[in-house]
Amino acid sequence: MLVAACEVIAEVGFEKIRMRMVAEHAGVSTGLLHHHAENRERLFAEAMTHSLSPAPT
């Protein structure tokens, strides 16, 4: 879901992103997405943390 969020944010920008867009891109329900991130600001923060984390070695 976080990878999908990063991809959608890169595609449409944070101002235009909707939770539904990310859920559809990730292939999950909006309910599941809201369970992990209560709003788009939280989703953005988690996605950016994920994208900036070093890859496991």
Side-chain angles (χ1 to χ4, degrees):
M1 286 186 289
L2 295 177
V3 171
C6 291
E7 291 171 353
V8 175
I9 290 166
E11 182 179 321
V12 301
F14 177 71
E15 291 79 25
K16 294 180 182 178
I17 195 173
R18 300 290 175 258
M19 298 291 272
R20 177 187 48 79
M21 294 173 171
V22 176
E24 288 176 359
H25 191 75
V28 300
S29 70
T30 54
L32 179 61
L33 185 60
H34 279 282
H35 177 74
H36 289 281
E38 64 220 35
N39 56 44
R40 68 187 194 133
E41 289 79 10
R42 180 70 180 176
L43 178 63
F44 179 79
E46 290 182 20
M48 292 303 100
T49 298
H50 172 76
S51 70
L52 296 173
S53 297
T57 56

